[in-house]
Amino acid sequence: MKSVLVLYMSRGGHTARIARRLCEGIVSAGGRAEMMDINEASHEGVEWSRYDVVAFGAPVLYGTYDKSVFRFIEAHRTALEAKPNSFFNVSVVARTPEKATVAGNRYLQKFLQLSPWRPRDLKVIAGKVDYPSWPWHERFMIGLIMKMTHGPTDKTAVIDYTDWDDVKVYASHLLTLA
Ligand SMILES: Cc1cc2nc3c(=O)[nH]c(=O)nc-3n(C[C@H](O)[C@H](O)[C@H](O)COP(=O)(O)O)c2cc1C
């Protein structure tokens, strides 16, 4: 049975939820799956030999990624590159079909510029708008980003843009990378 490790960084919990759904999807497709926050992975270590495939997901925050994402990649690049691997990003701009593609998502292109790890496989996933959960200054800043990208600006909006059926398809796809 093939085994997939889903590593993730999540600020507000949505990427963690995607990682969990990926694990469920991998198990329903006949594989084994484990998810691990990169904070846990950094401190507790990863038994890389237990996995056939490694997926890594991170949300776009202010047009880039949390520093911990690149720190983790720098520290574990060799291990990441040693297996079939995939990177997925989570962003609100990916709510439109053209920005939900690898070529059309500039944040994915930015990841490729900044990351010393070259993932063999890439995926774009639309994330969640959750204004009420964000502190006022983030509500304000994200409101500006949404205005520029023609997204929702209503500060009471909670909108889950993730295509969960597509997440399931990606889960099965990860198994095929093994
Ligand atoms: C501080 C902050 C900044 C964000 N900046 C962007 C952005 O620049 N572009 C974008 O498309 N989405 C942006 N988002 C939306 C997140 O990518 C989206 O909410 C994602 O689902 C968050 O995942 P998480 O809950 O795992 O942290 C931002 C969200 C937050 C909280």
Side-chain angles (χ1 to χ4, degrees), residues 38-39 54 66-67 92 140 144-145 168 177:
I38 56 167
N39 193 32
V54 180
D66 194 78
K67 284 191 185 72
V92 170
F140 176 76
L144 289 180
I145 295 171
K168 210 170 171 185
L177 297 178

Side-chain angles (χ1 to χ4, degrees), residues 55-126:
F56 186 177
V60 172
L61 303 170
Y62 295 136
T64 185
Y65 302 85
D66 194 78
K67 284 191 185 72
S68 64
V69 169
F70 298 111
R71 273 202 302 268
F72 185 87
I73 288 171
E74 271 151 32
H76 300 283
R77 180 181 169 183
T78 312
L80 287 166
E81 283 173 351
K83 318 228 167 218
N85 58 68
S86 181
F87 174 78
F88 63 95
N89 76 357
V90 179
S91 65
V92 170
V93 293
R95 72 189 179 281
T96 63
E98 69 275 13
K99 288 179 181 151
T101 63
V102 169
N105 188 279
R106 66 194 154 104
Y107 299 133
L108 201 47
Q109 301 310 317
K110 179 152 193 183
F111 176 84
L112 294 174
Q113 280 165 16
L114 295 174
S115 167
W117 164 46
R118 284 271 155 275
R120 289 191 216 170
D121 183 74
L122 295 164
K123 175 75 180 163
V124 172
I125 298 179

Side-chain angles (χ1 to χ4, degrees), residues 132-150:
S133 81
W134 296 329
W136 70 268
H137 60 282
E138 287 191 345
R139 271 206 296 276
F140 176 76
M141 291 300 290
I142 298 165
L144 289 180
I145 295 171
M146 291 305 142
K147 202 169 177 187
M148 286 186 312
T149 57
H150 309 290

